[in-house]
Amino acid sequence: MKVKSIGFVGTGVITEAMVRGLLTEPAYASEIHVSPRSSHIAATLAAEFAAVRIARDNQDVVERSDIVFLAIRPQVAEEVVRKLSFRDGQTVVSVVAATERQALLDWIGADVHLLQAIPLPFVARRQGVTAIYPSDDTVSALFDTLGTAVQCQSRKEYDLLATASAMMSTYFGIMETVAAWLERSGLERATGHAYIAPLFASLAQKASGPGAEPFSTLSREFATKGGLNEQVLSDFEKKGGLAALTIALDGVLARIEGRTT
């Protein structure tokens, strides 16, 4: 089902990724209205897609859209949202990180249908997995178009998946650590990159899809008794790697829930 008009308050990386995904043929939206801020991204999208309109300002985005996405940095979210006037019953989807639902409703000041979502950059290629809360068939269908929607049944579920999404930089950081070690050990950087990226992609693929085995089973499967994989996992655990990761996740969850650790 094609949505008539979608708007984005904030024109950053996630907005660009979503717009590209939504307008990949077959397009999901008839019109997409974007903020004039980040003028380069807005102009690039408008030049590439006939369905993209650059709004006069953020209020213009709200007035022209059936579904409004709040895609702004949490540091400026309150200032931006409080200035806008929304229609009662309007669907508003916040992708603002680590921001309480009640705070968003207070800033909006209207009886809107508010959802929260965690789209990732991969939605540009319609390969993203996106957590949404609360459950909503229309918004779920939109994110299913961009990959896969995970409808959370509780705020706790949503917060936990938001915490898990904070692992992306660490994932690439591990790859960079291995690549840098290979380079220091005498391997050309390009050769290391060409090997590591598909290696990690293949591992992720092994854990995906119907019938995939639990992570713990895969870890045991790849850690041959007395082998090299087992050695690295054992050293990583003994030297505090797993504990540090758990502490980091606890800290992110506390931040999302507005607690102090």
Side-chain angles (χ1 to χ4, degrees), residues 20 33 41 46 48 62 102 105 112 129 132 134 139 169 174 180 185 187 224 226 231 242 248 253:
R20 291 189 179 281
H33 302 273
I41 294 176
E48 190 169 339
V62 174
Q102 189 55 54
L105 288 169
V112 300
V129 57
I132 64 171
V139 175
S169 180
I174 291 171
S185 301
L187 189 69
T224 305
Q231 178 179 334
L242 297 181
L253 180 59

Side-chain angles (χ1 to χ4, degrees), residues 91-95 99-102 104-105 113-119 130-137 139-140 143 149-162:
T91 296
V92 178
V93 183
S94 170
V95 302
T99 304
E100 284 292 326
R101 178 181 179 82
Q102 189 55 54
L104 289 164
L105 288 169
H113 180 44
L114 176 66
L115 294 99
Q116 292 171 275
I118 316 169
T130 304
I132 64 171
Y133 176 75
S135 297
D136 181 272
D137 289 342
V139 175
S140 178
F143 282 112
V150 176
Q151 299 197 61
C152 298
Q153 302 305 312
S154 68
R155 178 55 195 255
K156 185 68 173 183
E157 284 187 17
Y158 179 81
D159 287 347
L160 288 171
L161 293 181

Side-chain angles (χ1 to χ4, degrees), residues 105-128:
L105 288 169
D106 291 344
W107 302 343
I108 290 169
D111 187 19
V112 300
H113 180 44
L114 176 66
L115 294 99
Q116 292 171 275
I118 316 169
L120 305 175
F122 322 109
V123 296
R125 301 189 301 275
R126 294 190 168 181
Q127 296 176 351

Side-chain angles (χ1 to χ4, degrees), residues 21-124:
L22 290 168
L23 294 181
T24 296
E25 292 297 335
Y28 188 82
S30 300
E31 294 180 354
I32 292 184
H33 302 273
V34 298
S35 300
R37 290 292 298 269
S38 300
S39 57
H40 174 70
I41 294 176
T44 298
L45 291 172
E48 190 169 339
F49 300 102
V52 173
R53 314 277 192 271
I54 301 177
R56 294 190 305 273
D57 51 31
N58 288 332
Q59 184 60 48
D60 191 36
V61 171
V62 174
E63 292 172 1
R64 293 178 180 273
S65 303
D66 300 318
I67 299 176
V68 177
F69 282 86
L70 303 178
I72 43 185
R73 292 181 292 109
Q75 295 89 338
V76 300
E78 180 175 5
E79 177 186 357
V80 171
V81 174
R82 282 193 182 277
K83 294 177 180 178
L84 302 175
S85 296
F86 295 84
R87 303 187 297 274
D88 286 347
Q90 190 170 22
T91 296
V92 178
V93 183
S94 170
V95 302
V96 183
T99 304
E100 284 292 326
R101 178 181 179 82
Q102 189 55 54
L104 289 164
L105 288 169
D106 291 344
W107 302 343
I108 290 169
D111 187 19
V112 300
H113 180 44
L114 176 66
L115 294 99
Q116 292 171 275
I118 316 169
L120 305 175
F122 322 109
V123 296

